[in-house]
Amino acid sequence: MSKRLRLPKILEPRPDAPFPLWMVFPVIFVAVYVTHFSLLRLPYYWDEAGYYIPAAWDFFRTGSLIPFTTTSNAHPPLPSIYLALWWKMSGFYPEVTREAVLIVASLGLLAVWRLAHRVAGSGQVAFWTVTLTALYPIWFAQSTLAQADIFAAAFTLWGLVYALPDSNRRPVIAMLWFTAAALSKETAIVVPITLAVVAIVDGFRSAQPKRTRNWSDAAWFASCALPLMAWYAWHFFKTGFVFGNPEFLKYNAQANLAPTRFFAAFGHRLLHLTAHMNMFVPSLLTIAALMLNPRLDADGHERARISNSNLWQIFFILLANAILFSVLGGALLTRYLLPMYPLVLLVAVSTFSRRVPYWQALAALSAVAFVAGLFINPPYRFAPEDNLEYARVIRLHVAGIAQLNKRYPGSTVLTAWPVTDELTKPELGYVKTPYQVYRLEDFTSEQIDRAADDPGGYSTALVFSTKYDPPSLMLSLGPKSEAIDRQYFGLHHDLPPEAIALRLHGTLNWQREDHAQWIALIRFDRQFEAKVQLPYAVRQPFGTFGTLRRGN
């Protein structure tokens, strides 16, 4: 009788082992690629066009880490370097950029898979957490947009894979991932700093040798700030500014310290984490599930759960991000919280699994709600980049610029940001030949009155909705809340194109509307006197040049 060949123990497969990551990643990427295929050829949008693509374009052409075709906001350069490498290999095309970003988004989802396995110990929980994260409208929309947030989210989640679990914690590897996150977007440093503070406090409450281990972990987590500090020192050496140009710093930090503004922003952030874009569905289901007793496994033991220490760490990470982004960021953009949504969903799915007999039905219901949120806009104001509304906006801009090229090529165009960038920078994918533009901040009554005082500065107007105003505002906190939003968060109401044409004594020659977003082309039949001699200049009615970026 021959002996069976026994493999070394390290090579023996475990029946309960999770799928290896090299098998999971291709599945995730193919699924993400197929579901985003129709978006890959869209030209660049919003802060992509305003900062991230120009910054990467400057590095691609000249090797400069400090952008010069757009105002430097001191964002770390890792996304620019990554995109430039892809352009070097595959060419400078929007589809190359978006495919490169899809790889990063898929890497982030792979981290969600691994993190769920490590803290929840269940392949089914991992599957549904990844599925819900991928379908959540904000994550879905950001998965092809070349903005720093998806880079920071993916690297932060990988850092948590090695920093969060109670056993087999790898603080050095976590530090490397957190460093990559901070060098993608500076605000990502809040996660390792929060974990460092938690580890220090836990160290005081623990005996040796756990105390030393906790403090060692804290030191590794805090060390992620050193490369970020080095970047800021380099930025100061090259530009004279530590945190970017003064206007950007004032808009995104210094002007946000009023107590009323902070508490209003904090309320928004709590809603962003628990209710926005149909997140209220898994949130409410989680609350309902907590009212049930834990289920028992075949041996009569309570089913596995996320440990209390991990839950507290997740809570403090969520709280720290909500507080930070109630102070930083002039605009309340939900993508700033991008790495937080998988954590919320992980807690929800783990709770379903532990307490509800047919729990996968709750996960499926949440998935249906998220898919609906991709296409159906909420009954309140939101940023188009929070779901597929952004694609509609891009297509409207493409259609409007096509009409401008067809009817009035070479004209000087009155418009607002981001169309000012779309018309003056061919690398963004909208025009082949730049236009001269006369820039307004928006199309409110005050801005149109300013343009009316200078009728000789433009010959054509390309006007559009700069904010999403739902056809019927079903959810509103009342006039006091609107007043706060106007004062602190840039809420305004654009005039309709007919009113703009009437006030500026122009002819409305073309317009298009889609889901309460609109764009229109107005022509002025009067003697036009060019007042700007610089080629492709951006002229503003109040005599300054440049654009104050709204987000980044």
Side-chain angles (χ1 to χ4, degrees), residues 209-538:
K210 185 179 178 182
R211 174 180 297 177
T212 300
R213 184 168 63 249
N214 283 344
W215 288 354
S216 174
D217 291 351
W220 282 113
F221 298 152
S223 68
C224 302
L226 296 178
L228 183 60
M229 293 168 62
W231 160 252
Y232 280 131
W234 170 255
H235 190 272
F236 177 78
F237 173 74
K238 299 293 288 186
T239 67
F241 303 115
V242 177
F243 299 113
N245 70 87
E247 282 188 354
F248 173 80
L249 182 60
K250 180 179 179 181
Y251 177 74
N252 285 282
Q254 294 172 341
N256 302 339
L257 302 179
T260 301
R261 198 264 183 202
F262 170 79
F263 287 110
F266 187 72
H268 280 285
R269 291 309 188 190
L270 293 182
L271 290 174
H272 291 164
L273 287 171
T274 60
H276 185 49
M277 283 298 162
N278 294 347
M279 184 65 85
F280 70 88
V281 174
S283 296
L284 292 178
L285 292 175
T286 301
I287 294 173
L290 287 171
M291 299 178 184
L292 303 177
N293 292 324
R295 294 191 299 149
L296 304 179
D297 59 22
D299 297 325
H301 300 113
E302 290 186 358
R303 290 182 177 268
R305 52 166 288 181
I306 301 174
S307 68
N308 282 332
S309 62
N310 283 165
L311 287 173
W312 277 112
Q313 287 173 305
I314 290 172
F315 171 78
F316 284 123
I317 290 170
L318 295 174
L319 180 63
N321 276 266
I323 292 173
L324 176 70
F325 292 114
S326 299
V327 176
L328 298 184
L332 290 175
L333 299 178
T334 56
R335 60 179 157 91
Y336 296 164
L337 298 170
L338 197 59
M340 300 299 104
Y341 301 120
L343 301 182
V344 174
L345 293 170
L346 174 58
V347 172
V349 174
S350 176
T351 304
F352 299 164
S353 173
R354 175 173 163 79
R355 295 177 180 269
V356 181
Y358 300 100
W359 66 271
Q360 297 195 55
L362 303 186
L365 178 61
S366 301
V368 171
F370 288 171
V371 172
L374 283 170
F375 302 97
I376 302 173
N377 292 337
Y380 53 83
R381 299 182 183 94
F382 76 106
E385 66 176 6
D386 287 355
N387 68 0
L388 290 179
E389 186 69 16
Y390 86 90
R392 297 190 187 106
V393 174
I394 292 176
R395 292 179 178 121
L396 279 177
H397 288 196
V398 169
I401 293 172
Q403 290 294 321
L404 177 66
N405 288 333
K406 178 181 177 181
R407 297 169 183 249
Y408 312 116
S411 58
T412 296
V413 184
L414 179 146
T415 191
W417 188 81
V419 173
T420 49
D421 285 349
E422 295 166 6
L423 291 177
T424 57
K425 297 178 179 179
E427 62 269 20
L428 299 181
Y430 292 86
V431 298
K432 294 182 178 179
T433 303
Y435 282 82
Q436 286 190 345
V437 298
Y438 183 101
R439 177 184 175 271
L440 299 180
E441 289 296 315
D442 46 50
F443 301 106
T444 56
S445 179
E446 295 79 8
Q447 289 291 305
I448 296 302
D449 286 343
R450 288 186 175 186
D453 292 337
D454 189 14
Y458 46 88
S459 57
T460 306
L462 187 59
V463 298
F464 58 96
S465 49
T466 60
K467 295 280 186 181
Y468 173 76
D469 265 324
S472 58
L473 192 62
M474 297 174 59
L475 292 180
S476 173
L477 297 179
K480 288 187 177 180
S481 176
E482 287 217 0
I484 291 174
D485 289 347
R486 281 195 299 272
Q487 181 177 358
Y488 295 113
F489 306 126
L491 174 64
H492 63 264
H493 299 284
D494 296 311
L495 292 176
E498 298 83 1
I500 297 173
L502 183 63
R503 288 218 191 173
L504 298 181
H505 307 290
T507 303
L508 181 60
N509 288 335
W510 175 88
Q511 64 177 320
R512 180 174 292 179
E513 184 174 347
D514 187 8
H515 282 72
Q517 302 274 3
W518 54 266
I519 192 167
L521 191 61
I522 301 172
R523 184 65 174 179
F524 304 98
D525 295 324
R526 55 179 174 244
Q527 185 66 34
F528 169 68
E529 178 184 354
K531 298 184 179 181
V532 180
Q533 302 300 321
L534 295 175
Y536 320 130
V538 179

